[in-house]
Amino acid sequence: MTTPERKPAAPTYRPAPVHDPAAAQKTKLARGWLHTAHFLTSAPQLEHLPALDLPEIAFVGRSNAGKSTAINTLTQQTRLAFASKTPGRTQHINLFGCGRQKIDDAVLADLPGYGYAAVPREAKLRWQRVMGNYLMTRQNLRGVVLMCDPRHGLTELDDILLEVIRPRVESGLKFLVLLTKADKLTRSEGAKALSIARLQAGGGEVKLFSALKQIGVDEASELLFDWAHPPMDAAAAPAPDAPANAAAEPDHGET
């Protein structure tokens, strides 16, 4: 008996991705701008920070939420933000300038991670005051990026921070929650984490983010660029000098 010849299965149809030149250019512009980030100064106390008239974007988050890795990924650098081997031990505000042709037009502020149990109580209280004063009084603060490990969700300390900045958010301060380490979530877990965080964020934006899988990197980069450059400035901005596709190697330490 002759076995009938089996016909090859029809290939699964996958629509070709739509290429949007304008969107691609915006992503290139934003990522190239962030790639210019460089160290400006470090301050142990709020009064030691220089008074600047450039828009400032602060990165905050609980220790071990992946803050340093996210900053390094967004700027496509490996050691711009220092990831301490002991989470919670880095207790300085670090400022990084961003701008084409060595002319800064914005500042990124890396605030110390908070909530790590091994840090003495006195140090925790001191840094709670420093961060609270910074977030409430820093005149040139344009936006805040809160890092959160979605497997644990927003903690009580995150909620306290949200309450601190809520009046400024209501007055126009930009706010973004990055759910880091999103590669560790299934699709359904990611959707659930987004839904919960949006309810808690109180008007801020929420995005999944993964340094390892490059999830959300382009979207977050474009958002930060827009915060630092109002629409009139962004429309007139020329193409970036720096390459936009040099992805950062994720740090293994966290702050």
Side-chain angles (χ1 to χ4, degrees):
M1 180 176 179
T2 304
T3 303
E5 185 178 349
R6 299 180 65 180
K7 295 181 179 181
T12 302
Y13 173 72
R14 292 185 176 88
V18 178
H19 178 65
D20 184 342
Q25 178 62 20
K26 182 177 180 181
T27 299
K28 181 180 179 181
L29 179 64
R31 298 209 65 188
W33 171 73
L34 281 167
H35 188 57
T36 67
H38 58 279
F39 178 77
L40 286 179
T41 189
S42 182
Q45 296 286 352
L46 186 61
E47 58 266 25
H48 297 149
L49 283 178
L52 301 171
D53 59 2
L54 298 176
E56 196 160 291
I57 299 171
F59 291 80
V60 299
R62 185 177 173 85
S63 298
N64 213 30
K67 178 165 57 65
S68 294
T69 297
I71 293 173
N72 289 334
T73 299
L74 287 166
T75 59
Q76 303 141 78
Q77 301 185 42
T78 56
R79 297 294 293 172
L80 181 70
F82 178 72
S84 174
K85 304 238 179 243
T86 305
R89 292 297 189 187
T90 304
Q91 297 190 347
H92 285 70
I93 298 174
N94 296 309
L95 300 184
F96 309 106
C98 286
R100 296 179 65 254
Q101 300 177 346
K102 299 183 179 181
I103 301 175
D104 293 339
D105 58 15
V107 174
L108 309 180
D110 181 13
L111 273 63
Y114 51 83
Y116 192 66
V119 176
R121 182 174 181 273
E122 294 76 12
K124 289 182 186 178
L125 293 175
R126 177 171 65 86
W127 273 106
Q128 285 176 8
R129 289 192 294 269
V130 170
M131 291 177 64
N133 288 336
Y134 169 88
L135 293 169
M136 288 188 294
T137 65
R138 186 69 168 166
Q139 292 295 319
N140 61 322
L141 186 63
R142 180 70 60 83
V144 174
V145 183
L146 170 64
M147 310 294 173
C148 171
D149 186 334
R151 297 170 297 174
H152 307 303
L154 293 175
T155 66
E156 181 180 357
L157 289 173
D158 294 324
D159 289 336
I160 292 173
L161 184 143
L162 292 177
E163 286 302 314
V164 167
I165 68 172
R166 193 177 304 279
R168 294 196 69 175
V169 171
E170 292 173 351
S171 299
L173 180 73
K174 305 297 184 181
F175 179 56
L176 169 66
V177 177
L178 282 185
L179 300 178
T180 59
K181 308 178 185 180
D183 54 281
K184 300 181 183 297
L185 304 177
T186 64
R187 185 183 297 272
S188 61
E189 289 171 341
K192 182 179 179 181
L194 278 172
S195 178
I196 294 173
R198 282 169 179 155
L199 290 174
Q200 296 175 298
E205 298 198 48
V206 182
K207 295 185 182 296
L208 292 172
F209 188 91
S210 167
L212 182 64
K213 299 292 186 180
Q214 293 289 293
I215 298 170
V217 175
D218 288 348
E219 294 88 342
S221 299
E222 292 173 18
L223 196 59
L224 300 186
F225 181 85
D226 289 343
W227 288 1
H229 305 86
M232 288 182 62
D233 294 342
D241 293 331
N245 57 356
E249 179 181 326
D251 269 357
H252 296 292
E254 310 285 0
T255 61

PDB file of all heavy atoms in Angstrom, residues 8-41:
ATOM      1  N   PRO A   8       2.997  19.843   2.138  1.00  0.00           N
ATOM      2  CA  PRO A   8       3.587  20.707   3.180  1.00  0.00           C
ATOM      3  C   PRO A   8       2.546  21.687   3.702  1.00  0.00           C
ATOM      4  O   PRO A   8       1.689  22.163   2.974  1.00  0.00           O
ATOM      5  CB  PRO A   8       4.718  21.441   2.450  1.00  0.00           C
ATOM      6  CG  PRO A   8       4.341  21.380   1.006  1.00  0.00           C
ATOM      7  CD  PRO A   8       3.602  20.076   0.827  1.00  0.00           C
ATOM      8  N   ALA A   9       2.622  21.937   5.004  1.00  0.00           N
ATOM      9  CA  ALA A   9       1.671  22.864   5.634  1.00  0.00           C
ATOM     10  C   ALA A   9       1.878  24.267   5.091  1.00  0.00           C
ATOM     11  O   ALA A   9       2.999  24.690   4.796  1.00  0.00           O
ATOM     12  CB  ALA A   9       1.860  22.859   7.150  1.00  0.00           C
ATOM     13  N   ALA A  10       0.772  24.962   4.920  1.00  0.00           N
ATOM     14  CA  ALA A  10       0.858  26.343   4.436  1.00  0.00           C
ATOM     15  C   ALA A  10       1.541  27.211   5.483  1.00  0.00           C
ATOM     16  O   ALA A  10       1.304  27.046   6.684  1.00  0.00           O
ATOM     17  CB  ALA A  10      -0.540  26.874   4.154  1.00  0.00           C
ATOM     18  N   PRO A  11       2.418  28.066   5.074  1.00  0.00           N
ATOM     19  CA  PRO A  11       3.106  28.923   6.055  1.00  0.00           C
ATOM     20  C   PRO A  11       2.125  29.837   6.771  1.00  0.00           C
ATOM     21  O   PRO A  11       1.150  30.296   6.190  1.00  0.00           O
ATOM     22  CB  PRO A  11       4.088  29.728   5.190  1.00  0.00           C
ATOM     23  CG  PRO A  11       3.494  29.708   3.817  1.00  0.00           C
ATOM     24  CD  PRO A  11       2.801  28.376   3.694  1.00  0.00           C
ATOM     25  N   THR A  12       2.409  30.048   8.059  1.00  0.00           N
ATOM     26  CA  THR A  12       1.573  30.947   8.846  1.00  0.00           C
ATOM     27  C   THR A  12       1.780  32.373   8.381  1.00  0.00           C
ATOM     28  O   THR A  12       2.919  32.833   8.225  1.00  0.00           O
ATOM     29  CB  THR A  12       1.935  30.846  10.343  1.00  0.00           C
ATOM     30  OG1 THR A  12       1.768  29.493  10.746  1.00  0.00           O
ATOM     31  CG2 THR A  12       1.032  31.739  11.177  1.00  0.00           C
ATOM     32  N   TYR A  13       0.703  33.068   8.146  1.00  0.00           N
ATOM     33  CA  TYR A  13       0.811  34.444   7.657  1.00  0.00           C
ATOM     34  C   TYR A  13       1.143  35.389   8.799  1.00  0.00           C
ATOM     35  O   TYR A  13       0.490  35.385   9.838  1.00  0.00           O
ATOM     36  CB  TYR A  13      -0.498  34.887   7.001  1.00  0.00           C
ATOM     37  CG  TYR A  13      -0.496  36.351   6.631  1.00  0.00           C
ATOM     38  CD1 TYR A  13       0.277  36.815   5.577  1.00  0.00           C
ATOM     39  CD2 TYR A  13      -1.253  37.269   7.357  1.00  0.00           C
ATOM     40  CE1 TYR A  13       0.301  38.161   5.248  1.00  0.00           C
ATOM     41  CE2 TYR A  13      -1.231  38.613   7.031  1.00  0.00           C
ATOM     42  CZ  TYR A  13      -0.453  39.044   5.973  1.00  0.00           C
ATOM     43  OH  TYR A  13      -0.431  40.379   5.657  1.00  0.00           O
ATOM     44  N   ARG A  14       2.190  36.143   8.610  1.00  0.00           N
ATOM     45  CA  ARG A  14       2.566  37.169   9.584  1.00  0.00           C
ATOM     46  C   ARG A  14       2.710  38.484   8.831  1.00  0.00           C
ATOM     47  O   ARG A  14       3.571  38.601   7.961  1.00  0.00           O
ATOM     48  CB  ARG A  14       3.886  36.828  10.277  1.00  0.00           C
ATOM     49  CG  ARG A  14       3.810  35.622  11.202  1.00  0.00           C
ATOM     50  CD  ARG A  14       5.140  35.438  11.928  1.00  0.00           C
ATOM     51  NE  ARG A  14       5.064  34.347  12.883  1.00  0.00           N
ATOM     52  CZ  ARG A  14       5.323  33.079  12.575  1.00  0.00           C
ATOM     53  NH1 ARG A  14       5.659  32.769  11.333  1.00  0.00           N
ATOM     54  NH2 ARG A  14       5.251  32.138  13.485  1.00  0.00           N
ATOM     55  N   PRO A  15       1.871  39.448   9.128  1.00  0.00           N
ATOM     56  CA  PRO A  15       1.968  40.722   8.410  1.00  0.00           C
ATOM     57  C   PRO A  15       3.307  41.376   8.652  1.00  0.00           C
ATOM     58  O   PRO A  15       3.859  41.313   9.753  1.00  0.00           O
ATOM     59  CB  PRO A  15       0.816  41.551   8.999  1.00  0.00           C
ATOM     60  CG  PRO A  15       0.528  40.918  10.326  1.00  0.00           C
ATOM     61  CD  PRO A  15       0.826  39.460  10.165  1.00  0.00           C
ATOM     62  N   ALA A  16       3.853  41.968   7.639  1.00  0.00           N
ATOM     63  CA  ALA A  16       5.143  42.659   7.767  1.00  0.00           C
ATOM     64  C   ALA A  16       4.977  43.869   8.685  1.00  0.00           C
ATOM     65  O   ALA A  16       3.945  44.543   8.657  1.00  0.00           O
ATOM     66  CB  ALA A  16       5.629  43.113   6.388  1.00  0.00           C
ATOM     67  N   PRO A  17       5.959  44.111   9.549  1.00  0.00           N
ATOM     68  CA  PRO A  17       5.854  45.280  10.427  1.00  0.00           C
ATOM     69  C   PRO A  17       5.794  46.568   9.617  1.00  0.00           C
ATOM     70  O   PRO A  17       6.476  46.712   8.605  1.00  0.00           O
ATOM     71  CB  PRO A  17       7.149  45.211  11.267  1.00  0.00           C
ATOM     72  CG  PRO A  17       8.080  44.367  10.461  1.00  0.00           C
ATOM     73  CD  PRO A  17       7.220  43.389   9.719  1.00  0.00           C
ATOM     74  N   VAL A  18       4.960  47.479  10.072  1.00  0.00           N
ATOM     75  CA  VAL A  18       4.805  48.757   9.388  1.00  0.00           C
ATOM     76  C   VAL A  18       5.958  49.671   9.788  1.00  0.00           C
ATOM     77  O   VAL A  18       6.197  49.914  10.968  1.00  0.00           O
ATOM     78  CB  VAL A  18       3.451  49.409   9.744  1.00  0.00           C
ATOM     79  CG1 VAL A  18       3.329  50.762   9.072  1.00  0.00           C
ATOM     80  CG2 VAL A  18       2.306  48.492   9.337  1.00  0.00           C
ATOM     81  N   HIS A  19       6.672  50.149   8.797  1.00  0.00           N
ATOM     82  CA  HIS A  19       7.802  51.039   9.076  1.00  0.00           C
ATOM     83  C   HIS A  19       7.331  52.481   8.990  1.00  0.00           C
ATOM     84  O   HIS A  19       6.849  52.936   7.963  1.00  0.00           O
ATOM     85  CB  HIS A  19       8.931  50.793   8.073  1.00  0.00           C
ATOM     86  CG  HIS A  19      10.096  51.710   8.278  1.00  0.00           C
ATOM     87  ND1 HIS A  19      10.874  51.685   9.417  1.00  0.00           N
ATOM     88  CD2 HIS A  19      10.616  52.691   7.494  1.00  0.00           C
ATOM     89  CE1 HIS A  19      11.813  52.605   9.327  1.00  0.00           C
ATOM     90  NE2 HIS A  19      11.676  53.231   8.169  1.00  0.00           N
ATOM     91  N   ASP A  20       7.448  53.175  10.105  1.00  0.00           N
ATOM     92  CA  ASP A  20       7.053  54.573  10.177  1.00  0.00           C
ATOM     93  C   ASP A  20       8.326  55.404  10.289  1.00  0.00           C
ATOM     94  O   ASP A  20       8.941  55.456  11.357  1.00  0.00           O
ATOM     95  CB  ASP A  20       6.150  54.800  11.394  1.00  0.00           C
ATOM     96  CG  ASP A  20       5.621  56.225  11.468  1.00  0.00           C
ATOM     97  OD1 ASP A  20       6.201  57.109  10.817  1.00  0.00           O
ATOM     98  OD2 ASP A  20       4.633  56.455  12.193  1.00  0.00           O
ATOM     99  N   PRO A  21       8.749  56.044   9.217  1.00  0.00           N
ATOM    100  CA  PRO A  21      10.004  56.808   9.252  1.00  0.00           C
ATOM    101  C   PRO A  21      10.015  57.890  10.321  1.00  0.00           C
ATOM    102  O   PRO A  21      11.042  58.121  10.965  1.00  0.00           O
ATOM    103  CB  PRO A  21      10.089  57.412   7.841  1.00  0.00           C
ATOM    104  CG  PRO A  21       9.257  56.506   6.982  1.00  0.00           C
ATOM    105  CD  PRO A  21       8.142  56.050   7.872  1.00  0.00           C
ATOM    106  N   ALA A  22       8.874  58.565  10.507  1.00  0.00           N
ATOM    107  CA  ALA A  22       8.829  59.634  11.504  1.00  0.00           C
ATOM    108  C   ALA A  22       9.019  59.076  12.907  1.00  0.00           C
ATOM    109  O   ALA A  22       9.745  59.647  13.737  1.00  0.00           O
ATOM    110  CB  ALA A  22       7.500  60.384  11.396  1.00  0.00           C
ATOM    111  N   ALA A  23       8.366  57.938  13.199  1.00  0.00           N
ATOM    112  CA  ALA A  23       8.500  57.316  14.518  1.00  0.00           C
ATOM    113  C   ALA A  23       9.927  56.812  14.732  1.00  0.00           C
ATOM    114  O   ALA A  23      10.490  56.951  15.828  1.00  0.00           O
ATOM    115  CB  ALA A  23       7.504  56.172  14.659  1.00  0.00           C
ATOM    116  N   ALA A  24      10.512  56.231  13.698  1.00  0.00           N
ATOM    117  CA  ALA A  24      11.883  55.736  13.803  1.00  0.00           C
ATOM    118  C   ALA A  24      12.860  56.884  14.056  1.00  0.00           C
ATOM    119  O   ALA A  24      13.802  56.754  14.845  1.00  0.00           O
ATOM    120  CB  ALA A  24      12.266  54.984  12.527  1.00  0.00           C
ATOM    121  N   GLN A  25      12.624  58.005  13.414  1.00  0.00           N
ATOM    122  CA  GLN A  25      13.492  59.168  13.606  1.00  0.00           C
ATOM    123  C   GLN A  25      13.362  59.719  15.023  1.00  0.00           C
ATOM    124  O   GLN A  25      14.357  60.129  15.639  1.00  0.00           O
ATOM    125  CB  GLN A  25      13.161  60.254  12.587  1.00  0.00           C
ATOM    126  CG  GLN A  25      13.974  61.535  12.729  1.00  0.00           C
ATOM    127  CD  GLN A  25      15.464  61.315  12.525  1.00  0.00           C
ATOM    128  OE1 GLN A  25      15.870  60.314  11.933  1.00  0.00           O
ATOM    129  NE2 GLN A  25      16.266  62.233  13.022  1.00  0.00           N
ATOM    130  N   LYS A  26      12.141  59.715  15.549  1.00  0.00           N
ATOM    131  CA  LYS A  26      11.939  60.206  16.914  1.00  0.00           C
ATOM    132  C   LYS A  26      12.656  59.320  17.922  1.00  0.00           C
ATOM    133  O   LYS A  26      13.286  59.810  18.862  1.00  0.00           O
ATOM    134  CB  LYS A  26      10.444  60.267  17.240  1.00  0.00           C
ATOM    135  CG  LYS A  26      10.171  60.805  18.634  1.00  0.00           C
ATOM    136  CD  LYS A  26       8.685  60.918  18.923  1.00  0.00           C
ATOM    137  CE  LYS A  26       8.467  61.472  20.330  1.00  0.00           C
ATOM    138  NZ  LYS A  26       7.034  61.570  20.673  1.00  0.00           N
ATOM    139  N   THR A  27      12.568  58.008  17.715  1.00  0.00           N
ATOM    140  CA  THR A  27      13.260  57.081  18.607  1.00  0.00           C
ATOM    141  C   THR A  27      14.770  57.294  18.531  1.00  0.00           C
ATOM    142  O   THR A  27      15.461  57.332  19.556  1.00  0.00           O
ATOM    143  CB  THR A  27      12.927  55.624  18.230  1.00  0.00           C
ATOM    144  OG1 THR A  27      11.519  55.411  18.355  1.00  0.00           O
ATOM    145  CG2 THR A  27      13.657  54.645  19.128  1.00  0.00           C
ATOM    146  N   LYS A  28      15.286  57.458  17.318  1.00  0.00           N
ATOM    147  CA  LYS A  28      16.720  57.688  17.138  1.00  0.00           C
ATOM    148  C   LYS A  28      17.160  58.971  17.820  1.00  0.00           C
ATOM    149  O   LYS A  28      18.213  59.032  18.468  1.00  0.00           O
ATOM    150  CB  LYS A  28      17.032  57.740  15.644  1.00  0.00           C
ATOM    151  CG  LYS A  28      18.510  57.960  15.327  1.00  0.00           C
ATOM    152  CD  LYS A  28      18.732  57.990  13.830  1.00  0.00           C
ATOM    153  CE  LYS A  28      20.205  58.235  13.501  1.00  0.00           C
ATOM    154  NZ  LYS A  28      20.452  58.291  12.048  1.00  0.00           N
ATOM    155  N   LEU A  29      16.346  60.004  17.698  1.00  0.00           N
ATOM    156  CA  LEU A  29      16.648  61.289  18.318  1.00  0.00           C
ATOM    157  C   LEU A  29      16.696  61.167  19.837  1.00  0.00           C
ATOM    158  O   LEU A  29      17.635  61.629  20.487  1.00  0.00           O
ATOM    159  CB  LEU A  29      15.597  62.318  17.903  1.00  0.00           C
ATOM    160  CG  LEU A  29      15.725  63.728  18.482  1.00  0.00           C
ATOM    161  CD1 LEU A  29      17.012  64.381  18.010  1.00  0.00           C
ATOM    162  CD2 LEU A  29      14.524  64.565  18.090  1.00  0.00           C
ATOM    163  N   ALA A  30      15.679  60.498  20.404  1.00  0.00           N
ATOM    164  CA  ALA A  30      15.594  60.369  21.865  1.00  0.00           C
ATOM    165  C   ALA A  30      16.735  59.524  22.421  1.00  0.00           C
ATOM    166  O   ALA A  30      17.378  59.885  23.414  1.00  0.00           O
ATOM    167  CB  ALA A  30      14.247  59.769  22.248  1.00  0.00           C
ATOM    168  N   ARG A  31      17.016  58.407  21.785  1.00  0.00           N
ATOM    169  CA  ARG A  31      18.056  57.513  22.291  1.00  0.00           C
ATOM    170  C   ARG A  31      19.450  58.114  22.085  1.00  0.00           C
ATOM    171  O   ARG A  31      20.342  57.947  22.924  1.00  0.00           O
ATOM    172  CB  ARG A  31      17.934  56.143  21.634  1.00  0.00           C
ATOM    173  CG  ARG A  31      16.595  55.460  21.938  1.00  0.00           C
ATOM    174  CD  ARG A  31      16.704  53.962  21.931  1.00  0.00           C
ATOM    175  NE  ARG A  31      17.561  53.505  23.004  1.00  0.00           N
ATOM    176  CZ  ARG A  31      17.966  52.242  23.147  1.00  0.00           C
ATOM    177  NH1 ARG A  31      17.602  51.346  22.256  1.00  0.00           N
ATOM    178  NH2 ARG A  31      18.736  51.888  24.137  1.00  0.00           N
ATOM    179  N   GLY A  32      19.629  58.816  20.984  1.00  0.00           N
ATOM    180  CA  GLY A  32      20.905  59.488  20.771  1.00  0.00           C
ATOM    181  C   GLY A  32      21.147  60.574  21.802  1.00  0.00           C
ATOM    182  O   GLY A  32      22.269  60.749  22.283  1.00  0.00           O
ATOM    183  N   TRP A  33      20.088  61.289  22.155  1.00  0.00           N
ATOM    184  CA  TRP A  33      20.201  62.341  23.176  1.00  0.00           C
ATOM    185  C   TRP A  33      20.571  61.741  24.526  1.00  0.00           C
ATOM    186  O   TRP A  33      21.478  62.229  25.213  1.00  0.00           O
ATOM    187  CB  TRP A  33      18.882  63.100  23.250  1.00  0.00           C
ATOM    188  CG  TRP A  33      18.785  64.062  24.383  1.00  0.00           C
ATOM    189  CD1 TRP A  33      19.416  65.266  24.500  1.00  0.00           C
ATOM    190  CD2 TRP A  33      18.008  63.902  25.580  1.00  0.00           C
ATOM    191  NE1 TRP A  33      19.082  65.868  25.696  1.00  0.00           N
ATOM    192  CE2 TRP A  33      18.219  65.058  26.373  1.00  0.00           C
ATOM    193  CE3 TRP A  33      17.159  62.910  26.044  1.00  0.00           C
ATOM    194  CZ2 TRP A  33      17.606  65.220  27.609  1.00  0.00           C
ATOM    195  CZ3 TRP A  33      16.549  63.072  27.275  1.00  0.00           C
ATOM    196  CH2 TRP A  33      16.778  64.223  28.049  1.00  0.00           C
ATOM    197  N   LEU A  34      19.899  60.668  24.922  1.00  0.00           N
ATOM    198  CA  LEU A  34      20.200  60.044  26.206  1.00  0.00           C
ATOM    199  C   LEU A  34      21.615  59.467  26.239  1.00  0.00           C
ATOM    200  O   LEU A  34      22.254  59.422  27.293  1.00  0.00           O
ATOM    201  CB  LEU A  34      19.177  58.948  26.514  1.00  0.00           C
ATOM    202  CG  LEU A  34      17.832  59.426  27.047  1.00  0.00           C
ATOM    203  CD1 LEU A  34      16.793  58.308  27.018  1.00  0.00           C
ATOM    204  CD2 LEU A  34      17.978  59.968  28.473  1.00  0.00           C
ATOM    205  N   HIS A  35      22.101  59.048  25.079  1.00  0.00           N
ATOM    206  CA  HIS A  35      23.437  58.460  25.015  1.00  0.00           C
ATOM    207  C   HIS A  35      24.533  59.486  25.326  1.00  0.00           C
ATOM    208  O   HIS A  35      25.665  59.119  25.654  1.00  0.00           O
ATOM    209  CB  HIS A  35      23.664  57.872  23.619  1.00  0.00           C
ATOM    210  CG  HIS A  35      24.935  57.082  23.487  1.00  0.00           C
ATOM    211  ND1 HIS A  35      25.223  55.995  24.290  1.00  0.00           N
ATOM    212  CD2 HIS A  35      25.999  57.215  22.645  1.00  0.00           C
ATOM    213  CE1 HIS A  35      26.403  55.492  23.949  1.00  0.00           C
ATOM    214  NE2 HIS A  35      26.899  56.226  22.957  1.00  0.00           N
ATOM    215  N   THR A  36      24.205  60.766  25.280  1.00  0.00           N
ATOM    216  CA  THR A  36      25.194  61.807  25.586  1.00  0.00           C
ATOM    217  C   THR A  36      25.363  62.018  27.089  1.00  0.00           C
ATOM    218  O   THR A  36      26.189  62.844  27.501  1.00  0.00           O
ATOM    219  CB  THR A  36      24.789  63.155  24.953  1.00  0.00           C
ATOM    220  OG1 THR A  36      23.594  63.652  25.591  1.00  0.00           O
ATOM    221  CG2 THR A  36      24.542  63.013  23.453  1.00  0.00           C
ATOM    222  N   ALA A  37      24.599  61.314  27.910  1.00  0.00           N
ATOM    223  CA  ALA A  37      24.628  61.528  29.366  1.00  0.00           C
ATOM    224  C   ALA A  37      26.042  61.352  29.923  1.00  0.00           C
ATOM    225  O   ALA A  37      26.761  60.421  29.566  1.00  0.00           O
ATOM    226  CB  ALA A  37      23.670  60.568  30.055  1.00  0.00           C
ATOM    227  N   HIS A  38      26.419  62.262  30.818  1.00  0.00           N
ATOM    228  CA  HIS A  38      27.740  62.223  31.434  1.00  0.00           C
ATOM    229  C   HIS A  38      27.648  62.775  32.847  1.00  0.00           C
ATOM    230  O   HIS A  38      26.766  63.564  33.169  1.00  0.00           O
ATOM    231  CB  HIS A  38      28.737  63.059  30.613  1.00  0.00           C
ATOM    232  CG  HIS A  38      28.313  64.492  30.462  1.00  0.00           C
ATOM    233  ND1 HIS A  38      27.389  64.900  29.525  1.00  0.00           N
ATOM    234  CD2 HIS A  38      28.665  65.612  31.155  1.00  0.00           C
ATOM    235  CE1 HIS A  38      27.185  66.198  29.639  1.00  0.00           C
ATOM    236  NE2 HIS A  38      27.948  66.653  30.621  1.00  0.00           N
ATOM    237  N   PHE A  39      28.566  62.344  33.687  1.00  0.00           N
ATOM    238  CA  PHE A  39      28.546  62.735  35.096  1.00  0.00           C
ATOM    239  C   PHE A  39      28.812  64.226  35.265  1.00  0.00           C
ATOM    240  O   PHE A  39      29.722  64.779  34.649  1.00  0.00           O
ATOM    241  CB  PHE A  39      29.588  61.929  35.865  1.00  0.00           C
ATOM    242  CG  PHE A  39      29.675  62.287  37.323  1.00  0.00           C
ATOM    243  CD1 PHE A  39      28.731  61.834  38.222  1.00  0.00           C
ATOM    244  CD2 PHE A  39      30.709  63.087  37.790  1.00  0.00           C
ATOM    245  CE1 PHE A  39      28.809  62.165  39.567  1.00  0.00           C
ATOM    246  CE2 PHE A  39      30.801  63.427  39.132  1.00  0.00           C
ATOM    247  CZ  PHE A  39      29.840  62.958  40.028  1.00  0.00           C
ATOM    248  N   LEU A  40      27.994  64.852  36.113  1.00  0.00           N
ATOM    249  CA  LEU A  40      28.184  66.275  36.433  1.00  0.00           C
ATOM    250  C   LEU A  40      28.733  66.460  37.843  1.00  0.00           C
ATOM    251  O   LEU A  40      29.787  67.047  38.048  1.00  0.00           O
ATOM    252  CB  LEU A  40      26.859  67.032  36.300  1.00  0.00           C
ATOM    253  CG  LEU A  40      26.322  67.317  34.911  1.00  0.00           C
ATOM    254  CD1 LEU A  40      24.997  68.056  35.007  1.00  0.00           C
ATOM    255  CD2 LEU A  40      27.326  68.110  34.084  1.00  0.00           C
ATOM    256  N   THR A  41      27.981  65.963  38.837  1.00  0.00           N
ATOM    257  CA  THR A  41      28.398  66.160  40.223  1.00  0.00           C
ATOM    258  C   THR A  41      27.651  65.191  41.129  1.00  0.00           C
ATOM    259  O   THR A  41      26.638  64.600  40.734  1.00  0.00           O
ATOM    260  CB  THR A  41      28.132  67.614  40.674  1.00  0.00           C
ATOM    261  OG1 THR A  41      28.742  67.834  41.957  1.00  0.00           O
ATOM    262  CG2 THR A  41      26.645  67.890  40.786  1.00  0.00           C
TER     263      THR A  41
END
